[in-house]
């Protein structure tokens, strides 16, 4: 099976590619802007005709689109998160119309949740940030493309290699910089929100299952833990794993810029279980332990492998 992974050097894409390479009989192509990419593909600027030629040369049986932007201004977000899936769908219709397309979406597409309520794939989409809005636009393009396509609406990914642009990776970096001394202080923003954290390795496994599953799939599947966790609990658990003995104060910056006014998020993941036989396999503490361990081998000024 020939599978193209777009954004294969990113946080999610790297884990997806790693899982695919362990799949017997899989021929994995990496697509992106990296010098290591087998296929030079920039969805933010690609033209349909040129991208179609590139896709035809790879002749993929499946494409997993992990390319996306989580920060930047609205124009940057739209170029990658909205335009990218649109040009990809147009090129696939021309070059590989029978290929399965797996689009990694985001639970931010749903917007604010209702406390003690899990959102299903049929729930209303009411994003309140440019990030959520642009991811939703990309998802709508994919689900209405006429292709064999599925959008995986991913909760808050956590685990080894988490980037500093997201809250778990940022907190790990702050804890690493602060050290274990009792006088250390970390100042953060409000940590009272609830989030559905899911291990990045579980996300990768879901993407692989979606790409290789026989027969049609629902247009949208939620990928999360099915459990809403206070962000404060995540921070305290990670601090304990790190051996942090200082103080954590909620009086400064440090929250995720794309969280907006969303105080509760939790996904119903029953459909993914039914369609993919998928369910999360890592507990949050295991994910945070793997995240912390990965920061210890991060090169100076770089990111963990």
């Amino acid at each position: 099976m020939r599978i193209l992974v777009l954004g294969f050097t990113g946080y999610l894409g790297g884990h997806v590619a790693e899982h695919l390479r362990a799949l017997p009989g899989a021929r994995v192509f990496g697509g992106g802007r990296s010098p290591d990419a087998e296929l030079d593909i920039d969805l933010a600027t690609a033209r349909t005709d040129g991208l179609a030629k590139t896709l035809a040369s790879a002749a993929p049986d499946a494409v997993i689109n992990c390319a996306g932007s989580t920060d930047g201004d609205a124009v940057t977000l739209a170029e990658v998160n909205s335009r990218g899936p649109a040009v990809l769908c147009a090129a696939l219709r021309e070059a590989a119309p029978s290929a399965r397309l797996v689009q990694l979406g985001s639970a931010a597409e749903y917007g604010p949740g209702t406390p003690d309520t899990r959102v299903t794939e049929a729930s209303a989409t009411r994003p309140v940030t440019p990030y959520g809005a642009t991811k939703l636009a990309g998802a709508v393009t994919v689900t209405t493309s006429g292709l064999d396509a599925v959008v995986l609406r991913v909760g808050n990914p956590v685990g080894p290699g988490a980037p500093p642009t997201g809250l778990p990776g940022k907190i790990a970096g702050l804890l690493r910089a602060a050290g274990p001394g009792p006088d250390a202080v970390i100042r953060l923003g409000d940590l009272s929100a609830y989030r559905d954290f899911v291990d990045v390795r579980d996300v990768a496994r879901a993407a692989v299952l979606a790409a290789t599953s026989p027969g049609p799939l629902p247009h949208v599947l939620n990928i999360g833990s099915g459990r809403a966790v206070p962000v404060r609990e995540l921070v305290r658990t990670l601090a304990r794993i790190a051996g942090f003995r200082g103080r954590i104060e909620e009086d400064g910056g440090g929250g995720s810029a794309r969280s907006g006014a969303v105080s509760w998020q939790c996904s119903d993941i029953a459909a993914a279980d039914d369609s993919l036989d998928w369910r999360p396999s890592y507990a949050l503490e295991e994910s945070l332990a793997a995240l912390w361990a990965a920061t210890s081998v991060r090169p100076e000024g770089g990111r963990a492998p």
Side-chain angles (χ1 to χ4, degrees):
M1 187 174 188
R2 299 166 69 85
I3 305 176
L4 169 61
V5 181
L6 299 175
F8 76 107
T9 59
Y11 178 38
L12 297 179
H15 283 278
V16 169
E18 181 180 350
H19 275 64
L20 283 171
R21 290 185 180 114
L23 193 67
R27 170 68 168 93
V28 183
F29 298 85
R33 296 174 295 178
S34 166
D36 297 328
E38 293 177 75
L39 301 177
D40 182 13
I41 298 174
D42 182 357
L43 292 181
T45 60
R47 293 176 57 90
T48 300
D49 53 353
L51 180 56
K53 291 179 181 177
T54 302
L55 293 175
S57 70
D61 298 300
V63 177
I64 304 177
N65 184 23
C66 305
S69 179
T70 59
D71 55 5
D73 60 25
V75 173
T76 300
L77 292 170
E79 286 173 344
V80 182
N81 299 337
S82 303
R83 182 191 187 279
V87 72
L88 175 60
C89 287
L92 277 173
R93 282 194 296 267
E94 182 177 333
S98 63
R100 166 74 54 82
L101 172 59
V102 180
Q103 167 77 14
L104 292 196
S106 170
E109 296 167 34
Y110 290 118
T114 301
D116 301 318
T117 302
R118 296 185 179 94
V119 294
T120 70
E121 291 81 356
S123 298
T125 47
R126 301 175 292 123
V128 294
T129 64
Y131 171 72
T134 56
K135 289 296 288 185
L136 178 59
V140 171
T141 299
V142 169
T143 58
T144 59
S145 66
L147 296 167
D148 177 10
V150 58
V151 174
L152 303 184
R153 283 200 176 126
V154 178
N156 286 59
V158 62
T165 51
L167 184 64
K170 183 170 188 174
I171 298 301
L174 291 173
L175 289 168
R176 184 68 67 183
D183 297 328
V185 179
I186 293 178
R187 293 181 175 84
L188 303 170
D190 181 18
L191 301 176
S192 62
Y194 285 71
R195 290 289 181 269
D196 188 332
F197 295 101
V198 57
D199 194 285
V200 65
R201 294 163 293 185
D202 281 329
V203 175
R205 184 166 51 86
V208 172
L209 287 170
T212 58
S213 177
L217 293 174
H219 286 314
V220 178
L221 290 172
N222 290 336
I223 302 298
S225 69
R227 173 173 170 254
V229 175
V231 174
R232 188 175 293 115
E233 179 181 325
L234 175 138
V235 172
R236 290 175 176 171
T237 301
L238 187 52
R240 175 173 53 77
I241 291 170
F244 181 72
R245 294 183 296 149
R247 298 194 320 276
I248 297 173
E249 298 180 356
E250 298 180 40
D251 62 356
S256 172
R258 62 181 184 274
S259 294
V262 181
S263 61
W264 173 278
Q265 277 187 338
C266 187
S267 295
D268 187 314
I269 56 175
D273 190 355
D274 292 341
S275 300
L276 300 176
D277 194 24
W278 176 93
R279 58 197 65 84
S281 58
Y282 292 93
L284 179 58
E285 185 156 353
E286 293 177 278
S287 304
L288 294 175
L291 166 59
W292 181 249
T295 66
S296 68
V297 296
R298 179 171 296 169
E300 187 68 26
R303 38 179 241 190

